[in-house]
Amino acid sequence: MRQKHYATSRNHSYLWKLGLKGFWLAQDLFSRYRRRMLKLQFYRENQACFSFQLEKDLVRLGRDQDCDLQLQDPFISRLHCVLRNRENRWSLEACSPNGIFVGKDRIPNSCTPLEASTRYRLSRLYSFECLDTKAPPKISRTVLTGKQNTQVLVLEAINEKLRLGQAVIRDAKGFERFISQSSFAIGCHPSNDLVIADETISQFHARIDLSHNTFMLTDLGSTNGCYIDGTKVLRAPLKGEHRIRFGKTEISFRIQEENRKIEDKRQNNFFGLQSKTTKMRKIFSLAEAVAPTEAPVFIQGETGTGKELLAKAIHALSNRSESAFLAINCASLPKELIESELFGHERGAFTGALEAREGAFEAAHLGSLFLDEIGELDLLVQAKLLRALETGEIKRLGSNHSIQTSVRIISATHKNLKQMVQEGKFREDLYYRLHIVPIELPPLRERLEDLEILCQNLFKRLRLNFQLDQEALDSLSDYPFPGNVRELKNILQRAAINYRFENPLANKEEIISLKPENLKFIQDAPALTDSKALAEKRRLQEALEKNHFNQSLTAKELGMAISTLHDRLRRLGVTKKRHQNY
């Protein structure tokens, strides 16, 4: 009888048996640092058509939709070839009976070193060359936590504690291995991350991916299928503990939990956010702790508190920092256009769609997408956003073709989404998908001790050689700041202009102290009984009605930023309801 071989790790299994996980984490970080940045230039009928950056250690090329790179050509096999990086050396492995050729020579099906500037012919139509590119510049980062969680789930984030989870697989012999890659391949082919020597296992049988803070098992078109706890699946989430069977081989999967306390690292400056309060510094530490994970982050805070700055900081500290960061303000777009803005559209999808256009999910692929004022999304768009979070698949308006994307979602709002869920205005399932790591930014009136360092920083950013004396700071402390830090910036600019207007002969090379009388205007916030305030309210109301309550067009017509318009509408109590006939 043929002896059955159980699942074993292909690379350095003896080190895993010794439990030297720290060695592999260090080796992984070092290899990322020194890795060659390679790009594949593809040709169709010898004409350059597109390029593909090799950003993962395992890239599958073929006609199947589960491949990392799809080529629609009948002479391309479902899985045509595999490109694999081992210790910073790339190799090409042919998996197709049609073969891969260099000139007239067919390359062997075993591992072949990938050579630069060599033309590899895949079929009559397609060929490619491998090109070296310079690695993108590294961003200078402030390390607070000291521990990277590249493939770790965030199970819960409450106050100052994080509950994390890491995936572990175990075979029948008791051998355990942590899943440290975002995409973990399983099969009998030697290029898989987990090689199973079993005649019932396909070459590339299945894959475990970490996507939107969830491990997903995907069947890659195997012959004998994948079973989770006895149920056959094509694609399913892995949560808690499971028995997974591939062919005749069974392994166990579990999430190993770890509790971590978020400590105050006494860091006053965090990517443009300034504070010396304990609450804000703990927010900085929490943001840095969750940045390397794939967990969605939900930022709650009033307008002007720095939600987008915090989102940019999380992106800069993540493993996606070298890809795009895209910000979408859901409140500034009409309901009819927000779906196209997020998912794109095809030519002719609606009136005025003269050409195809990619959406935010495609533009931010492999990067981060910041959805500001997410509470303004229509329920129909919320359903499509939920599907994009669950599967990573999107469809452009007017298209039946699914596009696979990988995007880190950071959302923000000043509204109470939990109350909106109870009122039926926001989907409960989407809320819990986004609310994995909640961060609440306090308003400026709750951290007035930061006024001095905020003013110093704002003067520096505005290139103003000014400073405030204690009397001026006391005047600022008595103001409620409904617009928060954004309003403080406007106040300082206006005060500086007033001072220079009143003192035209002042020496601009000297540091000037702004007196309380120069800030007097902030203490007399316009009441609605004031004729100027009523005139301003009437002007804004008329402009909104003229533009059918489209705030973007209104702000453009009035010559002000959309954020400034939002502040004035809220402060003056201008209604923002859409016209009934619109």
Side-chain angles (χ1 to χ4, degrees):
M1 177 181 285
R2 182 176 178 179
Q3 185 179 2
K4 183 182 291 186
H5 297 277
Y6 291 93
T8 58
S9 173
R10 181 172 52 84
N11 293 327
H12 313 293
S13 61
Y14 63 96
L15 287 176
W16 286 102
K17 289 179 180 179
L18 291 175
L20 299 181
K21 293 182 292 183
F23 169 79
W24 284 113
L25 290 173
Q27 186 190 56
D28 181 62
L29 291 174
F30 178 71
S31 64
R32 289 188 182 191
Y33 174 76
R34 62 188 292 270
R35 179 181 297 169
R36 293 164 59 203
M37 297 298 293
L38 300 180
K39 180 173 69 173
L40 301 182
Q41 177 62 55
F42 281 83
Y43 300 85
R44 181 182 173 89
E45 296 182 331
N46 293 324
Q47 297 293 324
C49 54
F50 68 94
S51 61
F52 182 84
Q53 193 82 34
L54 292 177
E55 296 176 327
K56 299 197 302 183
D57 287 338
L58 178 67
V59 176
R60 302 172 189 83
L61 187 153
R63 199 176 69 247
D64 195 274
Q65 63 178 0
D66 289 314
C67 290
D68 301 288
L69 183 60
Q70 289 182 260
L71 294 176
Q72 298 302 322
D73 181 353
F75 294 96
I76 298 288
S77 300
R78 289 180 61 194
L79 178 64
H80 202 84
C81 65
V82 173
L83 294 100
R84 180 70 185 229
N85 180 25
R86 296 189 183 90
E87 299 178 352
N88 207 33
R89 294 186 180 91
W90 282 93
S91 62
L92 176 64
E93 304 163 26
C95 306
S96 169
N98 297 330
I100 300 175
F101 294 82
V102 176
K104 295 183 178 181
D105 299 325
R106 177 170 176 156
I107 69 170
N109 287 349
S110 58
C111 298
T112 302
L114 190 63
E115 297 179 356
S117 303
T118 298
R119 183 69 65 90
Y120 294 91
R121 184 160 53 86
L122 303 172
S123 67
R124 297 175 185 176
L125 292 178
Y126 287 102
S127 59
F128 73 88
E129 290 181 2
C130 180
L131 307 176
D132 273 47
T133 61
K134 293 183 179 180
K138 297 291 183 182
I139 298 177
S140 176
R141 303 181 181 183
T142 305
V143 178
L144 299 180
T145 59
K147 186 174 181 179
Q148 298 295 318
N149 303 316
T150 52
Q151 307 309 328
V152 175
L153 301 177
V154 177
L155 302 175
E156 193 175 33
I158 300 178
N159 297 330
E160 303 171 12
K161 293 183 180 180
L162 278 178
R163 188 162 61 91
L164 307 175
Q166 190 168 12
V168 184
I169 56 175
R170 182 178 181 177
D171 68 3
K173 291 185 177 181
F175 169 74
E176 288 191 348
R177 178 176 178 181
F178 283 86
I179 296 181
S180 58
Q181 300 100 307
S182 59
S183 184
F184 188 82
I186 302 168
C188 65
H189 194 276
S191 65
N192 286 286
D193 300 295
L194 181 64
V195 180
I196 304 178
D198 184 343
E199 68 275 7
T200 63
I201 301 295
S202 302
Q203 285 195 73
F204 296 93
H205 199 101
R207 188 178 70 230
I208 298 177
D209 299 306
L210 177 59
S211 176
H212 296 294
N213 205 53
T214 303
F215 281 104
M216 300 289 295
L217 174 67
T218 303
D219 189 317
L220 299 179
S222 64
T223 302
N224 295 308
C226 301
Y227 295 81
I228 299 179
D229 299 328
T231 303
K232 187 174 182 179
V233 299
L234 295 178
R235 180 176 173 85
L238 298 172
K239 300 178 180 179
E241 296 189 12
H242 300 283
R243 304 295 298 179
I244 307 176
R245 181 162 56 86
F246 307 110
K248 294 182 180 179
T249 300
E250 187 174 87
I251 66 173
S252 66
F253 175 95
R254 66 184 173 88
I255 301 293
Q256 181 169 301
E257 297 186 9
E258 172 193 355
N259 292 319
R260 184 175 303 173
K261 185 178 180 181
I262 301 299
E263 299 179 354
D264 175 14
K265 297 295 183 179
R266 301 190 179 279
Q267 192 78 12
N268 294 343
N269 188 357
F270 186 71
F271 291 86
L273 291 166
Q274 301 272 342
S275 181
K276 58 183 181 181
T277 64
T278 302
K279 184 174 183 179
M280 283 294 292
R281 289 200 302 248
K282 286 183 177 178
I283 288 176
F284 299 160
S285 298
L286 174 61
E288 185 155 9
V290 301
T293 71
E294 291 290 308
V297 178
F298 181 83
I299 306 173
Q300 181 90 25
E302 297 179 6
T303 179
T305 51
K307 297 189 291 292
E308 186 169 348
L309 277 178
L310 184 61
K312 287 181 177 179
I314 293 171
H315 171 73
L317 290 169
S318 72
N319 299 316
R320 298 172 176 265
S321 60
E322 293 168 359
S323 299
F325 173 87
L326 195 60
I328 299 291
N329 190 324
C330 302
S332 65
L333 294 170
K335 178 176 64 174
E336 296 78 7
L337 295 180
I338 185 64
E339 187 175 350
S340 171
E341 189 72 23
L342 289 176
F343 307 117
H345 63 258
E346 296 292 344
R347 180 180 179 182
F350 52 84
T351 304
L354 302 180
E355 58 183 17
R357 180 180 181 273
E358 69 176 14
F361 271 84
E362 291 179 75
H365 179 56
L366 300 178
S368 303
L369 179 59
F370 176 57
L371 299 177
D372 197 8
E373 298 301 344
I374 197 167
E376 302 292 339
L377 284 181
D378 183 76
L379 286 172
L380 178 61
V381 181
Q382 291 178 31
K384 295 188 176 183
L385 176 60
L386 178 64
R387 175 169 175 78
L389 291 177
E390 289 179 340
T391 66
E393 292 183 354
I394 63 166
K395 286 184 181 179
R396 292 182 178 181
L397 285 174
S399 173
N400 293 322
H401 177 63
S402 296
I403 301 172
Q404 193 71 31
T405 61
S406 174
V407 176
R408 170 71 169 293
I409 297 294
I410 305 173
S411 54
T413 185
H414 71 280
K415 293 186 175 181
N416 187 341
L417 281 195
K418 198 165 187 179
Q419 182 178 348
M420 292 181 65
V421 168
Q422 296 173 353
E423 296 172 354
K425 297 179 180 178
F426 200 86
R427 292 180 63 103
E428 184 177 15
D429 45 7
L430 178 60
Y431 171 78
Y432 287 111
R433 268 284 182 176
L434 298 172
H435 207 261
I436 302 295
V437 181
I439 298 178
E440 185 173 355
L441 285 174
L444 182 56
R445 60 183 174 273
E446 293 181 7
R447 55 186 187 101
L448 293 175
E449 57 266 43
D450 288 335
L451 274 176
E452 185 173 1
I453 62 172
L454 285 173
C455 291
Q456 292 173 356
N457 182 60
L458 288 171
F459 277 141
K460 186 177 180 180
R461 286 168 54 188
L462 296 170
R463 298 182 180 180
L464 296 174
N465 197 27
F466 285 11
Q467 71 176 11
L468 298 181
D469 58 14
Q470 191 57 46
E471 289 181 286
L473 287 172
D474 292 341
S475 297
L476 287 173
S477 299
D478 295 333
Y479 185 63
F481 289 104
N484 294 292
V485 181
R486 184 185 292 121
E487 185 176 14
L488 175 63
K489 177 183 175 182
N490 295 339
I491 286 172
L492 295 180
Q493 284 181 303
R494 183 174 173 183
I497 293 171
N498 287 350
Y499 183 89
R500 285 176 171 171
F501 180 76
E502 296 171 2
N503 301 273
L505 301 179
N507 187 353
K508 302 303 185 298
E509 300 300 322
E510 297 178 356
I511 296 178
I512 304 171
S513 177
L514 295 178
K515 299 297 182 183
E517 54 266 24
N518 300 115
L519 300 173
K520 184 177 184 300
F521 66 91
I522 70 169
Q523 298 180 10
D524 302 321
L528 292 182
T529 55
D530 191 342
S531 59
K532 290 184 178 180
L534 289 174
E536 176 71 4
K537 180 179 179 180
R538 191 179 303 111
R539 184 174 76 99
L540 294 179
Q541 188 75 41
E542 292 174 354
L544 282 170
E545 291 176 356
K546 177 183 176 183
N547 291 286
H548 302 287
F549 290 84
N550 185 317
Q551 296 179 30
S552 296
L553 293 178
T554 303
K556 187 176 181 180
E557 180 181 282
L558 296 176
M560 64 177 66
I562 185 69
S563 56
T564 304
L565 177 63
H566 289 163
D567 289 342
R568 293 189 183 181
L569 293 178
R570 190 190 71 257
R571 201 178 310 166
L572 296 173
V574 179
T575 177
K576 294 184 284 184
K577 293 183 179 179
R578 293 181 180 274
H579 197 278
Q580 292 181 353
N581 296 327
Y582 178 63

